[in-house]
Amino acid sequence: MTRVAFPVVLLLSFLLFLPCCAPLPVSPQSIADAEPDGVVGCVSLGIVRGYSDMGNLSHGQGLQRARNAARIDAARLGADHIVWRPIPDVYAPYISADTYRCKSTSTSSDNVSRTP
């Protein structure tokens, strides 16, 4: 590797891994569980999935790990409410949820939709 290429590769590597180290916009623990009627008028941020890393959700610990993983993804989206979807099968390796931002923020996004 040439002397010029090494700093460029180092800089590109730093920029590539920078987003993974950025702080979350909100704390995963601060995201409130909600029912569908509790998020009327909130901004829908999308669906998140959490995997148990234990094979399935049949054990309480696997379900909790999956929920924690989904909450972290919801926090990355800036959600403050989460509506858990029904688990399709107790042996499923994941859980999914709809995420919402109900508190007003100073920034807005054009690619999100409001719930009816």
Side-chain angles (χ1 to χ4, degrees), residues 8-44:
V8 171
V9 170
L10 186 63
L11 177 64
L12 290 175
S13 298
F14 175 75
L15 293 176
L16 178 66
F17 292 107
L18 184 63
C20 72
C21 303
L24 298 174
V26 297
S27 166
Q29 294 81 14
S30 69
I31 299 172
D33 289 348
E35 295 297 322
D37 60 349
V39 292
V40 174
C42 299
V43 177
S44 174

Side-chain angles (χ1 to χ4, degrees), residues 18-89:
L18 184 63
C20 72
C21 303
L24 298 174
V26 297
S27 166
Q29 294 81 14
S30 69
I31 299 172
D33 289 348
E35 295 297 322
D37 60 349
V39 292
V40 174
C42 299
V43 177
S44 174
L45 301 176
I47 300 169
V48 293
R49 264 191 183 171
Y51 292 86
S52 71
D53 294 332
M54 298 182 80
N56 61 52
L57 303 176
S58 63
H59 302 289
Q61 188 177 12
L63 178 60
Q64 190 59 44
R65 288 173 66 117
R67 284 184 181 239
N68 289 342
R71 281 187 190 280
I72 290 169
D73 286 346
R76 285 188 180 116
L77 295 174
D80 55 26
H81 286 75
I82 193 164
V83 177
W84 299 106
R85 291 181 166 202
I87 299 172
D89 180 8

